Amino acid sequence: MTHPLFTKHEAMLDKALSAIETRGYWSPFAEMPSPKVYGETANADGEAAFTAHLGKTFELDQPSTGDVVGEERSPFGTSLDIKYPKADPDALVRASQQAQQQWRAAGPQAWVGVSLEILSRLNRASFEIGYSVMHTTGQAFMMAFQAGGPHAQDRALEAVVYAWDQLRRIPAQAHWEKPQGKNPPLAMQKRFTIVPRGTGLVLGCCTFPTWNGYPGLFADLATGNTVIVKPHPGAILPLAITVRIAREVLREAGFDPNVVTLLATAPNDGALVQQLAVRPEIKLIDFTGSTQNGTWLERNAHQAQVFTEKAGVNQIVIDSVDDMKAAARNIAFSLALYSGQMCTAPQNIYVPRDGIRTADGQLSFDDVAKTLAGAVEKLTSDPARAVELTGAIQNEGIAARIAEARKVGDVLLDSRTLQHPAFPEARILTPLLLKLDARTDEAKFTKEWFGPIAFVVATDSTARSLDLAGSIAQEHGALTLSVYSTDDAVIDSAHEAAIRGGVALSINLTGGVFVNQSAAFSDFHGTGANPAANAALADAAFVADRFRVVQSRMHVAPEAVAAKAGQTA
Amino acid sequence: MTHPLFTKHEAMLDKALSAIETRGYWSPFAEMPSPKVYGETANADGEAAFTAHLGKTFELDQPSTGDVVGEERSPFGTSLDIKYPKADPDALVRASQQAQQQWRAAGPQAWVGVSLEILSRLNRASFEIGYSVMHTTGQAFMMAFQAGGPHAQDRALEAVVYAWDQLRRIPAQAHWEKPQGKNPPLAMQKRFTIVPRGTGLVLGCCTFPTWNGYPGLFADLATGNTVIVKPHPGAILPLAITVRIAREVLREAGFDPNVVTLLATAPNDGALVQQLAVRPEIKLIDFTGSTQNGTWLERNAHQAQVFTEKAGVNQIVIDSVDDMKAAARNIAFSLALYSGQMCTAPQNIYVPRDGIRTADGQLSFDDVAKTLAGAVEKLTSDPARAVELTGAIQNEGIAARIAEARKVGDVLLDSRTLQHPAFPEARILTPLLLKLDARTDEAKFTKEWFGPIAFVVATDSTARSLDLAGSIAQEHGALTLSVYSTDDAVIDSAHEAAIRGGVALSINLTGGVFVNQSAAFSDFHGTGANPAANAALADAAFVADRFRVVQSRMHVAPEAVAAKAGQTA
């Protein structure tokens, strides 16, 4: 049963097993785009590989209608003009089913070995994928490289190792021997076969196509399922490259490459996705996107295990700080990073209307708000530096949302258009900061305003802030909660609010860690305990139901039992 | 965090952990109702305890309307006349929610320790529970004792140990330290808190109230959830005793006993159950019963994790045998055991119309059918002995189904009424065996005929038999599949059919193991891979999503990092 690709990557797998047990820092994939690690020409080669896709039809030798599809546009304003082979969903499902039998029979070590080999090839393609992520999502290059490359690979490996950690617990066979008093024991030989669910469907998003898409893809693969990858129509390329690499590895390893296929679509593919999602062959769905679409899947795709990450309202509670400027710098970074287009970016910042205690004395609400606005302003004042942080706005809908948001409260800091030094047509908008009041504006801040939009909300007290934080997380969903306090009792209350809201808590972040960052192998991304996500990346629950066990049992011949007894006697 | 009850039972837990890894034979609970194990007066005491319930109101100090409810009738014809305190579901949900906070905070070792203490007390009550199971389900005493007592306790322990196996993998805290080149590392202290889902609802069945009810109950408890137990209106007593014992243990351990409550109901409680099942507080549902009710829950209780065991069509494929009589004896036992009222009992027996090979030469289809019928007839010929095997028919619906079934095919062996020597009013009916043809009767045998009803089905070939077995399991559900063949290639094909149908396979059972038996810690009961059950008893998937993890993280002060570095340097 040992597969050469399993053996090849077993040392990495063992380290990953240890990492998910201790949950300290670990990553096998270098996050810095360093020539020393990735090769002197890796950046140039990766950019060239990306550029070579532009204006072309992406080649993929999978079932196709012969037509092409694809309307991606770079948020940095450059033209992509990439076409992808159009696939008939029925044909992909058929191909996926056909590929399933051989893939299923290969067994856990082959699934895990092939998954890890795909990952190591993806790692080598990190620059090409980084540029592709940049020019589909609008992330600045450094983030596109890191989040789209090594960090996404980390999350994928995490899913693989969680899968393996469960798979390895099922023995391939067992000897069962039940004493029967003075009579010979009843003895049976049992066989346990891991049976994957079938075909998985991975529905990508337009902001983190690989980071959010890989966990489902690799959890499916590592548990023996075949996968149809349907990227968001706005961010196809990173997943198309991924699928191509996966297919190469599969083919080289002697498998039908249709174990992984790509379903590229034109915008407004909702009806197509819904039709596909309820097909009886689709047994697993991993979705990142809107609450509306995610909830539809949860309620209608009854034949499938459905894993969703949806909208949420991330919150910061400021109670008291030693150094407001340090806190504000950290928060401003979180607001500006990729222009708030992270599912983990904070939106609501609660500050008591009577102000907060600091090491330098009491600071009024307005002064706190001003310090926050000032920090964001400072961070975004130099366009050339700012754009490397903010990146570009992924789509026009987000830009329109900023305009809409401007009307709902007093503007503390207006959103500005920045000029990108390298990409004159880039859609770049700095964060909008508004002032709201918890007494009167709750309806405004209990929904997600996806994008660079944040509210400084005046509350009656920190107790009220924490109350809001817990209940909004519970009711409307949240992936992150952050608290600033010098008071241990408040930190304890924040823990309680986090537990009530089912949301991960960050405490007093003033340094080089930001609330929107989630480290694989250590931080659970999402809890599955509030409406923002029905699963966590990654844990046992994320993988354990992607496969089942079918057993057989037969009597062991009496002489075999006797022989065995003789051996042990 | 160590709880005295955890320490008390830790040795048993460790053995159970090892059992689910090796899946050999193991049980800490003696299955024989032996005075040596359970005490010289255990049987008499248990019977007296059971008898003491008759004609009384069952005392339970939980929220009650003041009214009573309960209309159980013994299938052995004796009157039970037990009333239970009636509860307002709203009041139980409120009490459950209130009990949740303290229970949640107690943590994994307390949850597991208390669960194991409840189990050891239940074990001591095995005779009382055995008689209660007997006189609600109709099982003969030996089976009621074993399946309702120690075997149910095994399944409960299995759920607890699977829960613990997952819980123990989440570290309570972690030190995360990320190198920053020449700069000091980023260091964070992380805390991981296990957060139970909330309140679970366990919906019992009338044939195996404890065996099928315990896994969900104990999986919920061991992961920190509170539980409302709603027995089938026809089999309340075994679960009422269980709840009372659980509440005693909880109270003694200093917890609010409303962590476990009983919702006793009158017959036709469907509307009440549906209303309760979709309440937002109900986060987990464990159901055993009809496909109609189970599917309703899966499709409507979106707020909950829903685990269901529903109807199925269990099948036997006879291809060839050494000794048809030995095979027939084994099959007859499976048909007669508790009058086929087991979810694992076989229904369809496929035999090639051209007959089968045996060590004594070819045997015609009719001879195979006759041998099977003869074996059942022999097994049920002596009423006094037969009733200890068949028990009684749980309800009139099953008796009516036998009458209905009699019309659908040629009768190979008619169902007879037996007189129970001790219970003259007992409802006892022997198995009905019919002959059907796969070419013309498929609509008749692709549905479940719950009760002592089985079909010997003529097929064109063993290949066709296996084809039917796999596709019927896949489409209509099945918990068991059994094959008889002396041909290794057929056994291989049977494995393939079992995998296609997602059903556990037993091969050539001719001795003391029967297809309807499923041994905890070794046999997975159900696969979750066909419509008969969406989960298996028990595995990681059965427990891993009953809790979530909420984490917090904060910077470790630079001096602490330095001190740590000093220690390791």
Side-chain angles (χ1 to χ4, degrees), chain A residues 97 100 103-104 111 194-201 219-221 223-226 280-285 302-307 543-549, chain B residues 307 474 499-500 502 527-531 533-536 539 541-542:
Chain A
Q97 294 275 297
Q100 173 65 43
W103 182 237
R104 195 263 297 153
W111 307 331
I194 309 280
V195 180
R197 284 277 178 195
T199 298
L201 174 63
D220 281 352
L221 277 183
T223 50
N225 299 282
T226 58
E281 298 92 343
I282 301 295
K283 300 293 191 190
L284 297 150
I285 299 177
H302 296 296
Q303 86 294 347
Q305 309 285 326
V306 179
F307 302 86
V543 298
D545 218 4
R546 293 183 194 253
F547 66 89
R548 303 283 71 214
V549 178
Chain B
F307 302 87
Q474 186 177 42
I499 285 167
R500 202 167 63 249
T527 62
N530 71 48
N534 75 358
D539 62 10
F542 188 67

Side-chain angles (χ1 to χ4, degrees), chain B residues 130-154:
Chain B
Y131 283 103
S132 306
V133 167
M134 174 179 174
H135 283 289
T136 49
T137 67
Q139 291 171 25
F141 176 74
M142 181 59 99
M143 185 181 188
F145 176 87
Q146 294 190 332
H151 291 176
Q153 294 146 21
D154 279 344

Side-chain angles (χ1 to χ4, degrees), chain B residues 551-568:
Chain B
Q551 70 169 76
S552 69
R553 57 182 183 179
M554 61 193 305
H555 283 291
V556 182
E559 52 272 34
V561 178
K564 193 172 184 297
Q567 278 163 20
T568 54

